[in-house]
Amino acid sequence: MDAYEYGLPDSAIAQQPVEPRSAARMLIGPGLSGTARVRHGTVADLPTLLRPGDVVVVNDTRVLPARLSLRKGSGGRAEVLLLEPIGADPSHWQALVRPGRRLPHPTPLYEQGAAADAPPVVEVGPPLGAPDDGRRQVRLLDPGLVERAGAMPLPPYIHQPLADPERYQTVYAEDRGLGDRSTAAPTAGLHFTPELLAACAAAGALLARIDLTIGLDTFRPITTATADEHRIHTERYSVPQETLAACAAADRVVAVGTTVVRALESAAATGARDGRTDLYIHGSFPFRVVDVLVTNFHLPRSSLLLLVEAFCGPVWRELYATALAEGYRFLSFGDAMVVARSDRNHRNDRAVGASPASGTDR
């Protein structure tokens, strides 16, 4: 994994998104614009790279306002970061809690600014997982708390507050229930505007959707010495039958973000249209569906960086070096790049995920 420590300076990490969304810069990989050279553009230029027969697939997950600033009965501050629900009960969640080790269970927590005699809104339960994992079971005592008082769970490398919480949502996010939302944004999609989507359609591309619920594990660096030793996190996904059919019939499938790649390739590899995926895309992974990837610039030593290398090959190193030298902005609010799949890892059986027998209705 030391080979994936490319040296990301703090000054390159974007702290605020650009306006308008599609004005973000976009590094265009070789072979996508009629030349073998790397080109510079903006995300607004994406339609010029599309053609009839393309299918552009987006992740329409919505981000949960998962960060809850609360207080203990003593008046001290506490924070709960909701991760995902436990079972079918919408009030029980996995969460990260601060100060976690100093809160026994059960510990009631109260809403900031509420009256002294107000009832608690959260109950902190026992630890979950390994002792050093930091996860706790919590119970929401007030079902309206998240929508009323929750804040966007911005990544830990973003240190500036976000004036408009909707800038950490895509413009096409579906308003699903709390338990079906993400705790991180599909960041490549943050660049898209209604006008850009219309321009993609005018270029002849079809828009399709998947839903993959993104968790905070996506930000965790790989700590093992090698990629093969890493145990990948799991995520819930759903790929509609019409999306699979559109991809099977497409000349090219253009994935907007790594989460789209993981969902589509999971459906193709397993035959399950929905469920929970532990697909680990790295090395010589045999891609079955995706031909072109629009993605942001990722953290060193991350599983997302391994996915990018598996997809486009070693050219990612040249692209990242160029982006750093040219002042591109990195990570969630940063700029983008678009790359074609390396043929070395391609399997020509895209239709496997679209066959009627391979779909499930779980």
Side-chain angles (χ1 to χ4, degrees), residues 115-294:
D117 59 349
V121 292
V122 169
E123 182 181 86
V124 178
L128 295 170
D132 59 348
D133 187 71
R135 301 181 188 227
R136 301 286 293 269
Q137 178 177 318
V138 302
R139 184 159 66 101
L140 298 179
L141 306 176
D142 180 348
L145 173 69
V146 177
E147 297 284 20
R148 182 177 69 249
M152 280 293 127
L154 296 179
Y157 47 72
I158 293 179
H159 308 298
Q160 296 180 10
L162 192 60
D164 178 9
E166 284 300 305
R167 284 301 273 110
Y168 199 56
Q169 305 279 12
T170 63
V171 299
Y172 44 75
E174 286 287 334
D175 193 11
R176 298 182 174 90
L178 298 185
D180 293 321
R181 301 190 198 178
S182 292
T183 49
T187 55
L190 296 179
H191 304 302
F192 282 68
T193 64
E195 295 78 13
L196 177 56
L197 293 170
C200 291
L206 175 70
L207 180 69
R209 296 167 177 255
I210 62 92
D211 173 30
L212 184 139
T213 305
I214 309 166
L216 290 185
D217 285 336
T218 191
F219 299 119
R220 292 190 177 184
I222 294 175
T223 57
T224 55
T226 67
D228 288 339
E229 295 174 84
H230 178 61
R231 184 174 181 179
I232 195 70
H233 59 283
T234 65
E235 294 170 314
R236 289 175 288 132
Y237 76 98
S238 176
V239 182
Q241 182 63 44
E242 54 267 31
T243 295
L244 288 175
C247 291
D251 290 337
R252 294 189 306 178
V253 174
V254 181
V256 179
T258 57
T259 60
V260 172
V261 177
R262 196 179 196 202
L264 291 177
E265 296 294 341
S266 293
T270 67
R273 289 195 295 107
D274 54 45
R276 195 165 192 102
T277 180
D278 61 356
L279 188 67
Y280 183 17
I281 300 178
H282 71 294
S284 57
F285 178 83
F287 290 92
R288 295 171 171 85
V289 183
V290 180
D291 302 292
V292 177
L293 172 61
V294 180

Side-chain angles (χ1 to χ4, degrees), residues 333-344:
F333 285 147
D335 297 315
M337 72 177 191
V338 56
V339 290
R341 187 197 62 246
S342 169
D343 286 337
R344 65 191 178 95

Side-chain angles (χ1 to χ4, degrees), residues 342-354:
S342 169
D343 286 337
R344 65 191 178 95
N345 286 359
H346 179 47
R347 283 184 57 178
N348 189 22
D349 55 357
R350 180 182 295 159
V352 68

Side-chain angles (χ1 to χ4, degrees), residues 64-69 79-82 98 146 149-156 216:
L64 181 74
R67 194 177 299 277
L68 305 173
S69 295
E79 182 180 274
V80 171
L81 182 60
L82 300 175
R98 292 191 300 182
V146 177
M152 280 293 127
L154 296 179
L216 290 185

Side-chain angles (χ1 to χ4, degrees), residues 91-128:
S91 67
H92 284 80
W93 287 72
Q94 292 184 40
L96 296 178
V97 180
R98 292 191 300 182
R101 296 186 178 181
R102 298 203 299 270
L103 293 180
H105 79 89
T107 295
L109 298 177
Y110 302 83
E111 191 169 353
Q112 290 279 9
D117 59 349
V121 292
V122 169
E123 182 181 86
V124 178
L128 295 170

